[in-house]
Amino acid sequence: MLESGNLLDIVAYTKDGKLQTYTECVGLRYDLYTGTRRIKLRRSGQIRVIRDCLIMSINGMSVYL
């Protein structure tokens, strides 16, 4: 889902332990060695880096690792 290029809604934990919601974002790149993923927020154009193990849900569906 993250590599399809479609718009996604992602809920993930931050390093502070808070939940962060990213709406209308697109997955750009995955780094296998660090376990991180780059996403681009469509509205603001910002690029964020999130860890795969901290993703809680994608498009309202729970993620189980």
Side-chain angles (χ1 to χ4, degrees):
M1 289 177 69
L2 292 169
E3 297 177 1
S4 66
N6 297 331
L7 291 177
L8 303 169
D9 294 332
I10 298 175
V11 177
Y13 281 108
T14 62
K15 63 182 176 182
D16 298 334
K18 299 177 183 175
L19 282 177
Q20 177 71 39
T21 303
Y22 302 102
T23 57
E24 295 184 0
C25 61
V26 177
L28 297 177
R29 184 170 180 238
Y30 173 68
D31 188 359
L32 178 67
Y33 297 107
T34 60
T36 59
R37 183 173 304 274
R38 293 176 65 178
I39 59 171
K40 182 175 182 179
L41 305 176
R42 186 179 74 100
R43 291 183 183 174
S44 65
Q46 294 179 348
I47 295 177
R48 302 284 176 104
V49 177
I50 57 174
R51 292 191 164 276
D52 277 348
C53 61
L54 298 179
I55 296 175
M56 298 308 299
S57 69
I58 300 172
N59 287 342
M61 295 185 300
S62 297
V63 175
Y64 298 101
L65 298 176

